[in-house]
Structure formats: C-alpha cells, structure tokens
Amino acid sequence: MKLVARTRRAVDKAGKKIFPDHWSFLLGEIAMVSLFILFATGIVLAFFYDASGERTTYHGAYEPMHGVDMSRAYQSVLRLSFDVPAGLLLRQVHHWTALVFVGAIVVHAVRIFFTGAYRRPRRLNYLIGLTLLVVSISNGFLGVALPDDLLSGTGAQIGYAIALSVPVLGAGIAGVLFGGEFPSEEMVHRFWLIHVFAIPMLIVALFSLHMLLVWRQTHTQYPTDGPADEVVGSRLLPHHAIKTAALLLSMAAVLVGMGALLQINPVWEHGPFEAAAATVPAGPDWYLMFVEGGLRILPALHLELGPVEVPSPFVAGIVVPALVFGTLAAWPFVEERLTGDRGVHHLLERPRDRPGRTAFGVAGLSFLAVLTLAANHDYLGGVLGVDVMTMTVAFRIVLLVAPALLGVVAWRVARDLAEADPAPDRQGVGHEEAR
Amino acid sequence: MTGPSNRWWWTIVAAGMAIVASGAAALLVGWWSAAGTVAAGTSGAAAAALVGVLRARQPPGPQSEERRPSGHLGYPCACAEPSRRRLLCGGAVAAALVAGAAAAVPLWSATKRGEARLRATSWRTGTRLVDDRNAPIRSDDLEPGAFSTAWPEGHGDDGNAQVVLIRLPPDRTVSGPGRPEWLAAGHVAYSKVCTHMGCPVGLYQARTELLVCPCHQATFDVLRGAKPIHGPAHRALPQLPLAIDGDGYLIATGDFPEPVGPGYWSRPS
C-alpha cells in the first residue's frame, strides 16, 4: 500500500510538470510520435523479413516474378507485400513514417537553431539531438537497403564507395559494414542487425537522455509567453497528455492513410539486385539527397599522395556531411566566443533579434537545399531541356551564390523587422505589461 | 461564445464524417487499402474526440512552474561540483581512450584482410567469358560495333569480375593507356564496375565509342583504354587481357592488372 501511495505521489508530482503551449514545441513531439509508429510497424515487419543474401527462386503470389533468381531477403519482402495480410500497408506506413521522422527532427532542429534554444544550459542536449539526427539518417539508409532490390542495391553500392574512400581505414570500415567486398551476401544480414538492433538501442538511449535533460532543465519559452524564472503553459496531466495522445492518433491517421493510399518504394517494379544493372532515374530518400547532389555536382577532387590516394567520393560523401554536422555542433560554442555571452538563457530569441545567427542559418539551409535539388539534376535538366553537363556547371554557380545572397537578404530582412518591432525584454522584467 | 457542450457536438459530427469518408474511400481502393483507410479514419475520429475533451477541460488560464535557480545545469549534483566533475570527465576520457585502443587492433587487421580481397577477381588464365545465361561466348557471337556484359565461367556471382565486352568495328583498335595486344579478334573487355563509385557502366554509345555510367555520368573513351573524359571518374576502367582458345571461345589470359571499382587509400596505381 505504501508503494501505491508513493507511486501516486510521484505521478501527481510529475503530472504538474509544465509544457509550453506554443505550436513550435510540438515539432519535437511529432518526431517522438513518428518514432513510436516506426517501432510499432517495424516490429511487425521484422516477423516476416528474412535477412539473408542466399539465392533462391521466386514462386509467390506476384506472377511476373515467377522463376526469377533473387536473394531470400528480396523474396521475403515480396511475400510481405503480396501474401502477408496488410503487409504492404505496414511496409508503406513504415517508410512514410521514416520520411516524416527525419523531417520532423530537421524542422525541430531549425526551430532550436533560429531561436537560440541551444544556449547554456542546453548545449549538451543540443549535441544529443544532433547525434539523434545523424543516427536516424543512417538508419534510414540501412532500412532502404534491406529489401535488396535493384534501387536499394544501387544506393548500397554508393554507400560502399563512400565508406571505401575514408583515408587509411576505408577498406576496413567498408569490409566490416558490408560483410566484405561489395556485392556481398553478408550485407543484408549486417545491415539488418544494425537497423533493428544496434541503432534502435542507441536511439532509445539518446532519446531518453534527451527527454531526461528537457525534464530536469525545464522547457525554454518565448519571452512573450512568460518570464525567465518560471515556465508558463499546461500541466502534463491531464492537459498535455491528452494533447500528445491526440497528436499520436491524428498522426497515426495521416500516416496510415498515406500508407493505404500513396504508393512508396514499389520494390517489385525495380526487380532483384544484380551487380550488372542499375535503375535510372535513381535517388536516395530526401534526407540523403544533399550527399547525392554533392557527388553529382562538386568537382571530383582526387588526391594522390605517392603510394596512397584519397578518392573523390570522400569530399561529397564524408567531408561535406562532416562539415555540415560539425559546424552545427560547434555553433553554440562559436557563438559564445563571438558574442562573449556565456550566460544561462531560458528565454528564446526571435530570429529577427539575432540577424547574424539568422543569416548564417539561412545560408546553411540554402546550401543544403541547393545540394538536395542537385541530386535530381539529370531529371531537372530533362524538364528544362538542358544537358547534364550544363546543369552541373549551373548548380556549381548556384551553390556558391545562393547561400551568400540569401544570407544577406535574411540579415537585412531580420534587421528591418527588428527595427519596426523592437525585442521584448529578454530577462522577462516587465513581462506583466507584455501579457 | 461557444460553450463546451456545443463543442462536443461538433466533435461527434466531425468524427462521424471522418468514419463515413474513410469507409467510402475504402470501397474505392480495395481490401487492404480499405482496412488502412478505415483504421486511419477511426484514429482520426478518436483524435478529434480527444481534442474535444481537451477543449471542454481547458483550464481557466495558463499554469506555471518555477525553474531551478539560474545557472543550475540540471545534471545530477555529482557532476556539478567542479572537483568531482573534473574527476568524472577525466575518467570518461581515459575509458574512451582505452576502448579506442582496444578497437584499433581488430579494425586494423580487418583493414588488411579487406584490402587483400579488393585486389583480385575470379579471372584466371584460360577462364572463358560467359554471357548472362552462362553460355560461353564465341569470337563471332557479337556483330562489329555491338557490346554485351560478360562474366568468368563458373563465377557469375562475382559482381566485381563483370566486364563490358565490345567488338570494335574492323578498322579500329585501342591506343594508350589501352593495351592493343590484349584484344582478341577485335574484342576489347573492360571492367564494368565504375572507378568512381562502383555502379555498372551500362551505357555504350557505338557511334562515339563512349561508355557512360548511369549513376553520375562518368564517361570513358573505349578507343583510348577506357580513359575517363567527362564526369567525376579519375581512373580508366581496368582492361581484361583476352585471347581465343582452340575451340573459338573468348578466354581471359589473366586477371585485371589492377583492382577494379572505386578508389581507396592504399590502392596500387
């Protein structure tokens, strides 16, 4: 009985936790809910997936593929799609949710960046969030490779070349991850273990830490919503919990609806992976397009240093992503240096009140957007009636000009907006008047 | 002013409409899609009902919670004291160094093993070239100007051994860095694995004698030893030495002179 009473007290205390009501605080929750849906659908998919590169001949419900030689992995995905009740539905929901998951993390991170939510004391939690983003993107890549169809095989091949390009350790890393030289029968098995076991464990650990720190450090809030020394919003129980439940149900509604009505990754159309074939046009899911775009348009820098070499995929495949995430990780520390502000901040800033940060963020986002578009430069060239070589050159110019130009525009717009509408007091003094 | 009871009505109406709409969509799109849309509709209706509950229970005004004193990081207090923090950080760094050192040895040996595998394919002296149905290729199977993909006989599963086999028009040969002495009856064979990122170099333009990779448009000149002339590749496609055996079939007279496929740190050039 004592335990019941103690639990009740703990729940009561936790239920009083305050969550801000501003809509932008829901973005991270969209990612959280997507993660739940990914776990739920992924567990069911795992019952039917056969993580084996062993060869077999297809005799299933999908007639056009009868008698075709393929891996057991691909066969099991065809079986899942055509023979297992609701298998295709679950697969499509899982894939759509993965796209939304990474998207929600990115939009959440954009909110965190532009409002300065990463400042002390939340620098560590910001780094954990960035790590979650990188880990989630990696798991998306592995998941797409699992069906072992022709499209995913082309993607895996490119991943292999990138892993191989790492100086000194490339051959080892590629060999360990891909189970030997590509194409390897071991690959889907290793990818599967990492996709369903290693990375999910890491995600759960990091996500728990992320939540724990939000809980202990309390939420930030906009200066118009409350003062620095208290959080204003709704209590976890019942108000915020109902809100989260409603979010879960409506996201489930949208994502299951998408899975039911919108086709995604029809693996039976691509056919099984064969080393001698490639599909065109081919591309990765949206969150890896910035890497593919770099591979297409960045000058192929190839270094030969006597007996050793750094092959060209290293630049777009490793250096660019490392620069992007490295810059993001370093930003809170760089900003402290630049502004000399090492104080603790619980109140968010409006993007217009920090034109420098806003301009930097806009420039970075446009850099990534141009690379993402460039991943489709052959398709875009076809639409515009321009040949691929010209598109490559055009994209190189845009990649240099657009971030600088948009950064300057963002800086001026932010400054003008701030002049027209001065910042509310940052320490919340006089917030009575503001409300 | 709409009262809570009024909002409840709207919620129920919206939920009912969602279920009817999803049922109708279900009839249109077939069985499992139907189940999915019904599930989606039900979930949406439940969400709408919850929003109704939320609105009905809206507290009178915003509530608040005090923050810990400014400057408190929210970490467990053991980490907050400078001396203990330094100790913990030092311990963590030391543990990471030990773990890294322990991982370095197996990773290093994996590197060595991986590299050994990268250097060779299944081609041996005398291996016949076979097509995608495992049939050996005769020296008169291809028309001049035609091309096909070939594998070493008995090793159709060795993706890194695949070659593009081209029969050049009668008056043509290859020049450096290509090896004209490795042609057999006008046939030249190059590794099909792109030296940029390993995609199959599957497009052959007979008119211009160019091979193009579909992935990143690397372009290789067939008559000049498959040297890259456009796009991101830096290395020529390795050439396979060919000959014709006593029965008129195409054979290899050895493995590729260098590793095929994308570059890596210690690739011999």
Side-chain angles (χ1 to χ4, degrees), chain A residues 204-229:
Chain A
V204 166
L206 289 171
F207 176 66
S208 309
L209 204 56
H210 201 62
M211 289 299 95
L212 182 75
L213 282 176
V214 168
W215 191 278
R216 290 189 69 100
Q217 297 181 334
T218 66
H219 277 85
T220 55
Q221 66 195 348
Y222 292 96
T224 40
D225 290 339
D229 55 358

Side-chain angles (χ1 to χ4, degrees), chain A residues 78-322:
Chain A
L78 288 182
R79 194 170 82 85
L80 175 78
S81 304
F82 293 107
D83 306 62
V84 175
L88 178 60
L89 176 68
L90 284 169
R91 227 195 80 222
Q92 299 206 120
V93 173
H94 192 74
H95 201 146
W96 278 122
T97 309
L99 301 188
V100 170
F101 176 54
V102 182
I105 300 179
V106 168
V107 181
H108 172 63
V110 165
R111 195 274 287 179
I112 298 296
F113 182 89
F114 282 101
T115 59
Y118 51 76
R119 292 171 299 164
R120 281 175 205 249
R122 297 180 180 77
R123 295 181 307 178
L124 177 64
N125 218 13
Y126 169 80
L127 294 179
I128 293 171
L130 269 185
T131 316
L132 272 168
L133 174 58
V134 175
V135 166
S136 303
I137 290 176
S138 318
N139 223 27
F141 169 78
L142 296 173
V144 168
L146 289 183
D148 204 25
D149 61 305
L150 192 50
L151 182 64
S152 75
T154 307
Q157 168 76 72
I158 288 170
Y160 176 76
I162 291 174
L164 205 56
S165 76
V166 174
V168 186
L169 295 175
I173 294 171
V176 169
L177 276 183
F178 289 76
E181 195 180 3
F182 189 90
S184 147
E185 284 199 358
E186 276 283 294
M187 185 191 83
V188 286
H189 188 242
R190 298 212 174 169
F191 276 24
W192 189 64
L193 282 177
I194 303 172
H195 180 78
V196 305
F197 182 67
I199 290 188
M201 271 198 340
L202 193 59
I203 288 182
V204 166
L206 289 171
F207 176 66
S208 309
L209 204 56
H210 201 62
M211 289 299 95
L212 182 75
L213 282 176
V214 168
W215 191 278
R216 290 189 69 100
Q217 297 181 334
T218 66
H219 277 85
T220 55
Q221 66 195 348
Y222 292 96
T224 40
D225 290 339
D229 55 358
E230 60 175 21
V231 197
V232 178
S234 331
R235 286 187 172 170
L236 174 59
L237 291 176
H239 196 89
H240 190 75
I242 296 177
K243 216 165 157 183
T244 302
L247 179 72
L248 175 69
L249 286 166
S250 44
M251 280 190 57
V254 171
L255 289 165
V256 174
M258 284 166 83
L261 300 171
L262 306 174
Q263 189 180 67
I264 186 166
N265 198 18
V267 287
W268 57 92
E269 282 180 9
H270 309 141
F273 174 69
E274 292 170 54
T279 46
V280 175
D285 278 344
W286 73 268
Y287 44 79
L288 276 174
M289 282 187 181
F290 77 102
V291 175
E292 170 70 10
L295 289 169
R296 290 185 181 212
I297 66 159
L298 293 181
L301 279 179
H302 171 98
L303 292 177
E304 281 191 37
L305 315 152
V308 296
E309 73 171 65
V310 182
S312 65
F314 185 64
V315 173
I318 305 282
V319 174
V320 169

